[in-house]
Amino acid sequence: MLEKRYQIHLQNHYDASSREVQKKEIKVLQKHKSKKNGEVFPNQICLENIMEYSRFMTWFENEIQKIAKKLWNQHFIIKLTLSQLYFRETILFLENIKDFSKRITIEFVGENIPSNHIKSHFSMQEQEAFFIGKLRMLKKWKFIISKHIEGCSVEQTLAFTPCIHEIKYMMNQKAKLEENIIELHMFIDFWEYWAAHKKLKFVVQVKEGDFITKSLMHKKVHVQFENNSDTQTIL
């Protein structure tokens, strides 16, 4: 039984200005008896074992339905990768939770379009067209579609712009230490302009309370942070 192997973990995402909880990210942790639980990434399961992925997504769907019904006034985040849209199990999962779609943001984390996947015979243009079709379907189902811009090409994000509601940049500590602060602000300014031009929401996710967070709050971007000490595990 998968409930003996996995458990649901809710991670709060806060608005940096109001410091109020905006959304709860639904994460999956692997249960361990003697060591700290590690996060499970469904995209890795689907690449390694499609039968296990099918069982996992059925379990995950049931857990999300229970949580969405219990926390009826809460908005949730579910993270996927674009490559998961190749799999029938992912589409069935999303179709079966679409009753809650207006309270769910699907975040597509940074990932270049795979060139050696099950659709490797597709050209780059055909792969983009495939993903655009799936994103439009999810938008029609009333999910909020968010596209991470770290770890993927600018061209990919620009191509998907008509199919999404927001773009998101997750800034980790290592990146902040390595990046020139002026270049970082130029990068943010470009995406801020693009989001405003295309009427998208632009979210920057940061660590709480550092100087970069405060400087970004003067811009027209939505600054969001996680508090790792404020979480909830659903057994």
Side-chain angles (χ1 to χ4, degrees):
M1 300 293 287
L2 292 186
E3 57 266 23
K4 294 182 179 180
R5 296 171 54 190
Y6 305 117
Q7 62 187 17
I8 297 295
H9 179 81
L10 300 180
Q11 174 74 63
N12 288 335
H13 287 239
Y14 291 86
D15 178 275
S17 299
S18 67
R19 307 187 76 80
E20 294 180 351
V21 176
Q22 281 202 318
K23 301 177 182 180
K24 290 180 181 288
E25 180 183 344
I26 302 176
K27 296 184 176 183
V28 180
L29 301 183
Q30 185 134 22
K31 290 183 177 180
H32 295 288
K33 292 182 179 179
S34 60
K35 58 182 179 179
K36 187 177 180 180
N37 294 344
E39 186 173 354
V40 175
F41 300 99
N43 63 303
Q44 295 178 353
I45 298 176
C46 75
L47 294 175
E48 294 168 1
N49 187 328
I50 190 61
M51 293 299 294
E52 175 69 11
Y53 183 63
S54 180
R55 290 190 291 267
F56 175 87
M57 293 306 280
T58 299
W59 171 82
F60 194 30
E61 171 200 323
N62 292 332
E63 293 300 308
I64 288 173
Q65 295 217 24
K66 288 190 288 185
I67 293 168
K69 289 174 183 177
K70 183 177 180 180
L71 303 178
W72 57 270
N73 63 342
Q74 184 63 59
H75 194 103
F76 300 98
I77 295 172
I78 299 173
K79 288 183 177 176
L80 299 175
T81 62
L82 287 170
S83 60
Q84 283 176 264
L85 296 179
Y86 284 133
F87 293 87
R88 176 176 176 270
E89 290 78 6
T90 308
I91 304 304
L92 288 175
F93 160 76
L94 293 165
E95 184 175 12
N96 290 337
I97 64 170
K98 69 179 182 180
D99 286 348
F100 311 102
S101 60
K102 292 182 180 179
R103 294 195 286 126
I104 295 176
T105 295
I106 305 295
E107 288 191 5
F108 288 95
V109 297
E111 176 194 54
N112 286 315
I113 294 177
S115 59
N116 58 346
H117 216 282
I118 59 172
K119 301 290 184 182
S120 58
H121 59 286
F122 279 11
S123 68
M124 187 63 70
Q125 291 75 20
E126 288 172 326
Q127 290 186 60
E128 280 191 359
F130 175 87
F131 289 131
I132 286 171
K134 296 301 182 185
L135 293 174
R136 283 178 174 163
M137 178 186 71
L138 297 182
K139 199 172 183 181
K140 186 176 180 180
W141 286 352
K142 306 300 183 183
F143 288 102
I144 307 300
I145 309 300
S146 177
K147 179 71 175 67
H148 281 239
I149 58 176
E150 74 277 359
C152 70
S153 69
V154 173
E155 291 79 11
Q156 184 193 95
T157 301
L158 299 185
F160 296 156
T161 295
C163 314
I164 61 180
H165 298 92
E166 73 174 32
I167 51 179
K168 186 169 186 177
Y169 178 55
M170 188 163 64
M171 193 184 311
N172 61 46
Q173 195 64 35
K174 181 180 178 181
K176 286 194 290 187
L177 291 172
E178 291 178 351
E179 286 183 287
N180 180 294
I181 193 67
I182 296 176
E183 291 179 356
L184 174 62
H185 277 275
M186 289 175 63
F187 174 84
I188 296 295
D189 287 345
F190 167 78
W191 286 109
E192 179 186 350
Y193 164 78
W194 181 260
H197 179 62
K198 295 296 182 178
K199 296 181 172 56
L200 301 175
K201 186 176 183 180
F202 180 30
V203 179
V204 178
Q205 184 173 319
V206 296
K207 296 296 182 182
E208 181 183 1
D210 61 17
F211 73 97
I212 292 181
T213 304
K214 294 174 183 176
S215 69
L216 289 173
M217 288 170 67
H218 293 291
K219 296 179 175 293
K220 294 179 181 179
V221 298
H222 182 81
V223 183
Q224 188 180 82
F225 69 88
E226 295 180 5
N227 185 342
N228 293 324
S229 64
D230 185 10
T231 59
Q232 180 181 2
T233 299
I234 310 296
L235 298 176

